[in-house]
Amino acid sequence: MERWETAEKREAEADGTPPARRGGRPPSRRPGGPDHGAAGGSSPVPGAPEPPDAPRPTVRRRGGPRPPRWWLNAGGAVLLGVMVAAQIATGLRPDDLRLTTVVVVLVAASALAFASAATSPRRAAGAFGAAVAAGYAAEWIGTRTGLPFGDYHYTDVLWPRPGGVPLIVALAWGGMGLAAHAVATRAVPGGTALGGTVFGVTVFGVTVPYGAVARVCAGAVALTAWDLFLDPQMLRLGLWVWAEPGPYRGVPLGNFAGWLLVSLLVMTLIERIAHHPAPEAAPRQGAEGGQAGATGLVALYTVMAVMETIGFAVVFRPTDPLVAAAGGVAMGTCALLAWRGTWRR
């Protein structure tokens, strides 16, 4: 042991460092360490922990992070503006049915762009496709069986019409379906957990939260409210014909029950696939862009409500105050509830 200590002492004297104390920690040779003496600016303390490394300075990028998928929101806004212009042209030239087709295509494209920003392009495309397929299937069955809307058929005005159902009708289900679901999400944000317990409806062993049920029902009502405008307008243009006209400007009341039923299916599909962000969602990467996309869908629904109300009230010839009031109150109420949920964030 004496030989080992003597050898260690010689080595320490050779390089200028003190020898390790018996039972203690070996001295630190790191420049600036706690046991480096005056060179490090502190006296040696046997057994003391070494100080942590200094934190690296944070490097900030100029202008901050750019919200993801911002260009989808910008594209949706541009398409919405073009749709407004086309809608105005439709009111001035009601006999040009090509403008009606353009309006429907722009509504669908704008809704798809906003929904892609609100969730993701893949989810939005899946939800849109599911809504289009459900709407087309309902129309295809309806024209053959009279269920669930009633006995009606399409004329030869709209094309293409695979299976007797115009494609723009299916696109309308998809575009306004996305917008109505966003309205419901903002109007009924719906926390589902109370005291750590999730309350819901159990179907086939799967618990569906009450918040999801409320959003599906509210979205179905919002989408059906649009039909208060749509059916009277399409009948004016001669796009479809009812076998037995009903009391609401020639539309049977059972048609709205069928719309509500199909809308429930459409909202269920979108709720399951899209998952639009609720206003109170926790901040995360891309949350701002997602909220902007959902707000764009609410704006799309609101614009349709305002323009249809103005159209039936003062633009179309002849005007129809009944349809303007009924559709305006129904869609307007849904839109106001959605904006109220947005402002309360």
Side-chain angles (χ1 to χ4, degrees), residues 97-260:
L97 297 179
R98 293 173 299 179
L99 292 174
T100 301
T101 301
V102 170
V103 169
V104 174
V105 171
L106 289 172
V107 167
S110 178
L112 187 56
F114 283 131
S116 297
T119 55
S120 71
R122 183 171 59 87
R123 284 184 178 273
F128 178 78
V132 169
Y136 179 87
E139 299 283 351
W140 187 88
I141 295 172
T143 55
R144 285 160 174 77
T145 66
L147 296 174
F149 307 109
D151 192 2
Y152 73 106
H153 68 273
Y154 287 97
T155 62
D156 297 332
V157 176
L158 295 177
W159 61 276
R161 293 185 302 113
V165 178
L167 284 182
I168 67 164
V169 173
L171 292 178
W173 278 101
M176 287 302 292
L178 292 175
H181 184 267
V183 166
T185 301
R186 287 295 172 86
V188 189
T192 59
L194 297 174
T197 303
V198 177
F199 294 89
V201 179
T202 301
V203 182
F204 298 113
V206 178
T207 300
V208 181
Y210 283 141
V213 174
R215 286 191 295 272
V216 167
C217 293
V221 171
L223 188 55
T224 303
W226 179 51
D227 193 46
L228 292 172
F229 285 128
L230 182 64
D231 252 289
Q233 185 177 4
M234 298 302 104
L235 282 176
R236 282 187 173 202
L237 298 176
L239 302 184
W240 57 71
V241 178
W242 292 97
E244 296 182 5
Y248 181 72
R249 295 299 186 256
V251 182
L253 298 181
N255 166 72
F256 300 106
W259 258 78
L260 185 62

Side-chain angles (χ1 to χ4, degrees), residues 303-315:
V303 167
M304 291 296 292
V306 171
M307 298 203 71
E308 292 283 5
T309 301
I310 294 175
F312 276 99
V314 298
V315 177

